Amino acid sequence: MTRVVVVGAGPAGLAAAEHALRAGADVTVLDQADAPGGQYHRTPAGAPHGFEALLSRCTWWPSSTVWALEDKRVHVLRGPADGTGRRRHVLEPDALVLATGAHDRVLPFPGWQLPGVFTAGAAQALAKGERVAVGRRVLVAGAGPFLLPVAASLLDVGAEVLAVMEANVVPAVLEGWSWRSAAHVGKMAELVRYAGTLARHRVPYRMGRAVVEARGDGRVREVVTARVRADWSVVAGTERAYEVDAVCVGHGFVPQPELAVAAGCALNGGFVRVDGDQRTSVPGVFAAGEITGIGGAVTAAAEGAIAGRVAAGGRPARGLLRARDRARAFAARLAAAHPIGAAWPGWLREETIVCRCEETTYGDLRRATADPAEPGPHALKLGTRAGLGPCQGRMCGPAVADLCGSVERHHRPIAQPIRLGELADPGGGVE
């Protein structure tokens, strides 16, 4: 029997597990969270998640962190990430499916380091998973359709959402959200539902506006928005201030390919390169979901289904391949409707912090980029410390790349944080 290990229990990973089981494989599913579903299917702690039947048919390891990959050996730490009793395990599957997802991308702006400025994903996670609102008066802003479910989640837990602001202008957004393409993958009903929620709560949805500054003494008290052009340059004189106690910002998503890089998989534009069967460049390693391209839950699930079936030695049905290709086409239209405007650095000032971990400013980056003594991304990181803090560039990396050119992505033998005591623990043998 083929043994398949799936890393990640979001839409892609769960679909991979389901279809690998159907193809007769022995399946183990790992996730850092203590419940399956990922962000899309997140439920309050202790509530039914709907995947009990699936997980009863496979080996389910929650609260498990894959900290290294060695060939196809999967090195795992089991236990809560902030716990002290984590134990090491090693799995050696016949095939490995990586479905590690993505995290929020947030563009820096003056004041974004203030307490009370949240990523859109963090705000939704607190609302869906803990039934906690990040504030009483909240503004949601950025780019992309994810802003809509974030606003809906905040309203559901009692927050007053002052507005949802999409930075991209009306013609581009409407072209991407065409009725025909949205209905093609069943997204129009979802769009109508979110629009109805905003309408019932009288929440305006404004296109062509962006948050360009957050203000406050000790925490955010006010945000400044402005009308922006198609390239996101600010239209002078259109600034407006809102009194808030929280602002939720998201400008799309960034893949989390650290494990794929550790496995030696080739990347393309920061995403894991896969073929039509979701195979990576490394034999026996498959990838699905947002690490292969930002496409949303429908696309991720379709890719995961194909990856799981092929990893188990089966062949995907034509209908499954067609469903994935349709979902990818729609995702591409949405990406074109919600791009990152090239002129966003015009929001920044010399003293604006870009790397929050190391407090590297825009001025620091500009001076380092102009300094002939610091050529190349490696010297830039060493000279400014940007991307060398606890998050290792996960938050600031894309912004630094936009401002200074490409940033190197190095292979790291240790892909996730591990304590020295845990590293010294011999652990068990290969399972």
Side-chain angles (χ1 to χ4, degrees), residues 163-178:
V164 177
M165 296 193 174
E166 161 67 50
N168 287 289
V169 296
V170 174
V173 174
L174 292 184
E175 182 179 354
W177 277 97
S178 69

Side-chain angles (χ1 to χ4, degrees), residues 310-335:
V310 178
R315 290 298 309 160
R318 289 184 180 180
L320 199 57
L321 295 170
R322 286 196 297 268
R324 178 200 59 189
D325 293 343
R326 284 197 302 269
R328 281 181 173 176
F330 177 57
R333 289 184 67 93
L334 284 190

Side-chain angles (χ1 to χ4, degrees), residues 34-51 125 127-131:
D34 57 5
Q39 179 81 337
Y40 187 78
H41 296 294
R42 187 183 296 273
T43 57
H49 46 67
F51 301 107
K128 293 177 69 174
E130 306 296 334
R131 304 297 297 170

Side-chain angles (χ1 to χ4, degrees), residues 85-261:
R86 299 195 298 180
R87 295 302 307 272
R88 285 175 55 185
H89 300 262
V90 181
L91 302 176
E92 193 166 7
D94 300 302
L96 175 64
V97 179
L98 299 176
T100 49
H103 59 81
D104 294 80
R105 179 179 184 182
V106 180
L107 299 177
F109 51 86
W112 77 309
Q113 76 280 5
L114 286 170
V117 179
F118 292 83
T119 65
Q124 190 193 48
L126 285 169
K128 293 177 69 174
E130 306 296 334
R131 304 297 297 170
V132 172
V134 295
R136 292 177 296 101
R137 290 173 53 84
V138 185
L139 188 75
V140 178
F146 183 56
L147 302 179
L148 296 172
V150 170
S153 296
L154 289 168
L155 291 168
D156 189 49
V157 293
E160 178 188 0
V161 178
L162 304 181
V164 177
M165 296 193 174
E166 161 67 50
N168 287 289
V169 296
V170 174
V173 174
L174 292 184
E175 182 179 354
W177 277 97
S178 69
W179 286 85
R180 181 178 179 182
S181 63
H184 200 45
V185 290
K187 282 291 183 180
M188 187 50 65
E190 189 175 349
L191 176 62
V192 170
R193 185 172 74 251
Y194 289 134
T197 299
L198 296 186
R200 284 195 306 275
H201 290 86
R202 298 184 178 181
V203 178
Y205 180 81
R206 307 192 190 283
M207 288 181 272
R209 290 197 74 89
V211 169
V212 296
E213 184 180 2
R215 299 170 178 168
D217 183 13
R219 65 168 292 112
V220 65
R221 300 297 182 190
E222 183 180 74
V223 292
V224 179
T225 71
R227 188 158 63 86
V228 293
R229 303 178 182 89
D231 64 355
W232 291 17
S233 58
V234 173
V235 178
T238 63
E239 294 84 357
R240 178 182 174 185
Y242 289 81
E243 182 182 334
V244 299
D245 53 21
V247 57
C248 307
V249 187
H251 300 95
F253 296 93
V254 179
Q256 299 187 108
E258 289 82 6
L259 288 179
V261 171

